[in-house]
Amino acid sequence: MNRRTTTLSAFSAIAVAAALTLTGCSSDSGSDAPAKAAAGKPQLKVSGAFMPEPAMDMGGGFLTITNTGDTADKLTSVTSAISDDVSIHETKNQKMQPVKFFDIPANGELKLERGGNHIMFMKMKQKPKQGGKVAVELHFEKSDAIKVDLSVEAPNHNPKQH
C-alpha cells in the first residue's frame, strides 16, 4: 500500500464509523418505526365499495383499492358467502372476460368500475336488496386478505355520474 491508498482507506473507515455512530445516536424515538417497518410493502386501502341491486342471480361489484406503499401488489381473487362462483373480470372491446389478477401499482390505485374491470358474482344464493350489504374478502399476492362490505345500491347507481 502506498501513502495515498492508506490515507483513503483510513478516511473511508472513519466515515463509515461516523455514519454508524450518528445512526445509533439518532434522537428518533421510534415514532416512525411503523412507517419504516411498512416500507417496501404494499399499503392497501379500499374505498367506494358497492354492488348495484341485481335483477337476476348474477351481479357486479365495484370498488377502488389504493396502494400508498412503495411495492406493487396484485388482486388475485375475491370470495363471498353469497356465491360460490366469484371471479374478477376485465372488459375489453365491450366483452367481459375473467382474469387471473389485477395489478395494483405502488403509490397508485386499482379502480373496479362500471363498464370496466369488476368483480363478477354468478349463481348468487340470494338476491341482495338495495340498502343491504354484501360481505366479500379480497385476496392479494403479497398483502393479507381484506374484508369489505359492498353497499347494495340502486340498479342504475354509477358514482361517476354524481
Side-chain angles (χ1 to χ4, degrees):
M1 267 190 181
N2 64 27
R3 185 176 188 176
R4 182 175 174 195
T5 306
T6 305
T7 304
L8 283 175
S9 294
F11 178 80
S12 296
I14 291 169
V16 168
L20 290 173
T21 301
L22 289 174
T23 302
C25 294
S26 169
S27 63
D28 183 3
S29 63
S31 60
D32 287 0
K36 288 179 182 175
K41 293 184 179 178
Q43 298 295 308
L44 306 180
K45 180 180 149 191
V46 178
S47 61
F50 76 97
M51 169 189 274
E53 182 177 350
M56 303 182 334
D57 69 343
M58 63 182 192
F62 308 96
L63 50 82
T64 299
I65 303 171
T66 303
N67 181 1
T68 57
D70 294 331
T71 302
D73 206 343
K74 294 176 193 261
L75 174 65
T76 56
S77 67
V78 179
T79 55
S80 177
I82 200 165
S83 173
D84 294 328
D85 186 3
V86 182
S87 56
I88 51 178
H89 282 204
E90 68 179 359
T91 303
K92 281 191 174 178
N93 301 319
Q94 299 182 344
K95 292 183 183 174
M96 291 188 301
Q97 59 190 28
V99 295
K100 297 216 182 278
F101 63 85
F102 285 125
D103 288 315
I104 307 167
N107 298 301
E109 62 184 17
L110 167 64
K111 288 188 176 207
L112 303 182
E113 52 194 3
R114 293 188 85 137
N117 300 335
H118 59 279
I119 302 166
M120 192 75 209
F121 299 85
M122 303 295 288
K123 301 176 188 162
M124 289 189 288
K125 298 171 186 174
Q126 65 223 21
K127 185 179 157 201
K129 300 286 184 201
Q130 185 175 345
K133 303 241 183 249
V134 173
V136 299
E137 190 167 275
L138 308 174
H139 301 272
F140 304 94
E141 180 181 67
K142 296 175 184 164
S143 301
D144 292 337
I146 298 176
K147 293 181 180 184
V148 177
D149 285 335
L150 304 178
S151 299
V152 182
E153 302 291 344
N156 62 348
H157 178 74
N158 190 347
K160 283 184 174 180
Q161 296 174 348
H162 295 273

